[in-house]
Amino acid sequence: MIHSFRNSAFRDPETGVYNQIYFLEVLNRNWHIHLRDQDQLTLVFLRPHLHETYHHPGLMESLTSEIQSCLLRANDIIARLDNDLFAIGLFNTSDHGTEIVVESVEQCMDLFVKNYERDHSFSLGYKIAAVGCCPTRNKSLETLFERTHQLSGELEHNANQHLISKF
């Protein structure tokens, strides 16, 4: 019981992934590490559009659990930023590594649809925007968020697609 109270401080109660406050703390810490080590990190915005005919409790938790299992490394982190926006932090990654993770998340979401659409009345669309960045003194974490948000806005509303960029 005590363990669940400890986790509640940094987990989103509906999905079980990290919450915004914890994610920002980890991302800020890694920003400074990557600044020192001159290494690249990537911020990914994932907007799953889950259209349900009936409300299925636990469906979003199942989806985020599947996505979390698709992240290929233990230090990659996913968090819920708001109702329909998730952020993924990829640390010490290359452009090619980012592409691999994004493709893995897309495959995971497609597999989720195949596994659950027969039992539930829903459809799932998504947009994925990823911006890789090697932190410098002239760049800020806020600008990385702005660039990722801007890239996410460039995606079509109803299409399953992704964009990857550099900052």
Side-chain angles (χ1 to χ4, degrees):
M1 189 73 144
I2 292 172
H3 180 70
S4 66
F5 285 122
R6 269 192 224 142
N7 284 336
S8 67
F10 55 87
R11 295 277 183 185
D12 175 63
E14 184 181 2
T15 62
V17 299
Y18 293 110
N19 64 24
Q20 179 178 6
I21 294 169
Y22 183 78
F23 180 78
L24 293 175
E25 182 180 314
V26 169
L27 190 63
N28 186 51
R29 186 175 342 120
N30 276 284
W31 178 269
H32 292 289
I33 291 169
H34 286 67
L35 176 64
R36 179 192 68 210
D37 296 344
Q38 298 180 344
D39 204 357
Q40 180 173 306
L41 58 81
T42 301
L43 177 62
V44 180
F45 279 0
L46 169 64
R47 290 191 183 275
H49 302 290
L50 191 59
H51 307 286
E52 299 175 89
T53 305
Y54 304 103
H55 179 68
H56 301 290
L59 199 57
M60 185 62 86
E61 183 177 10
S62 296
L63 174 62
T64 55
S65 177
E66 293 284 331
I67 293 168
Q68 195 165 20
S69 70
C70 289
L71 297 179
L72 304 173
R73 301 172 310 161
N75 66 335
D76 297 340
I77 182 174
I78 182 171
R80 187 175 196 176
L81 298 185
D82 65 29
N83 283 340
D84 69 341
L85 177 62
F86 293 86
I88 301 171
L90 306 175
F91 307 112
N92 300 10
T93 189
S94 64
D95 296 339
H96 182 66
T98 298
E99 290 175 20
I100 290 171
V101 171
V102 168
E103 289 172 7
S104 176
V105 169
E106 286 182 317
Q107 290 172 359
C108 183
M109 293 183 73
D110 293 340
L111 184 61
F112 180 83
V113 169
K114 287 179 185 172
N115 289 338
Y116 284 91
E117 72 183 344
R118 285 173 261 150
D119 299 331
H120 303 289
S121 303
F122 80 94
S123 64
L124 176 68
Y126 57 84
K127 296 191 302 186
I128 301 173
V131 177
C133 176
C134 189
T136 66
R137 299 265 179 229
N138 298 329
K139 296 177 183 175
S140 70
L141 194 51
E142 291 81 14
T143 307
L144 177 61
F145 269 87
E146 290 168 5
R147 295 265 175 111
T148 310
H149 178 72
Q150 179 184 16
L151 189 64
S152 177
E154 293 176 13
L155 294 165
E156 292 180 33
H157 181 66
N158 293 326
N160 292 349
Q161 57 180 220
H162 72 267
L163 283 175
I164 299 173
S165 179
K166 293 276 292 186
F167 160 54

